[in-house]
Amino acid sequence: MSIKLSSLLVALGVPAALTLVAVHYAGGGGIWWWLFYANLNLLALLAKDKLAAVKKGRRTPESTLLLLALAGASPALLGGRFLFRHKTAKQSFIVQMCGVMVVQAGLLWYFWPQVKAFI
């Protein structure tokens, strides 16, 4: 299995599994649990990637970070970049990150009536 695929499976699988457990035991809306765990997982991945960058270790692919941000963890991507001082100067990543947030804003605007029911 390639590093990109395994990284992607962990990035999406961990929050999904934790969301299922939280909904089962604590109840509540699954969307809120997903957002909580996806953001927490992305912060952990950014910390791990920063440490790997410093120690010249195996890095987390940018596509994994961006896909998890697209899946609802963009607040963690924004905050984690500055918290860990990581990926703040790489222009191509910044452009892609802004693209993710534009897509999210467009989807939120388009699906607002359905989203409003969860708030």
Side-chain angles (χ1 to χ4, degrees):
M1 187 179 311
S2 73
I3 183 66
K4 278 190 171 185
L5 182 58
S6 62
S7 177
L8 182 62
L9 288 175
V10 168
L12 295 174
V14 169
L18 292 172
T19 298
L20 289 174
V21 170
V23 167
H24 179 72
Y25 288 106
I31 190 74
W32 297 113
W33 286 112
W34 166 261
L35 291 173
F36 175 73
Y37 288 123
N39 279 277
L40 193 64
N41 194 35
L42 185 55
L43 274 176
L45 284 173
L46 281 170
K48 177 188 134 330
D49 192 46
K50 175 63 177 186
L51 185 62
V54 170
K55 294 191 174 209
K56 307 281 190 238
R58 183 174 275 187
R59 305 285 304 275
T60 303
E62 288 181 359
S63 58
T64 299
L65 300 175
L66 291 167
L67 185 61
L68 192 54
L70 182 64
S74 54
L77 184 60
L78 284 173
R81 285 181 59 237
F82 295 106
L83 178 68
F84 303 119
R85 293 187 185 100
H86 188 50
K87 301 222 181 266
T88 55
K90 190 170 182 184
Q91 289 297 340
S92 62
F93 186 79
I94 294 169
V95 168
Q96 290 173 339
M97 183 188 69
C98 290
V100 163
M101 289 189 287
V102 165
V103 167
Q104 284 179 325
L107 289 171
L108 184 63
W109 176 79
Y110 185 77
F111 289 107
W112 180 247
Q114 292 86 356
V115 171
K116 196 165 65 172
F118 286 105
I119 297 176

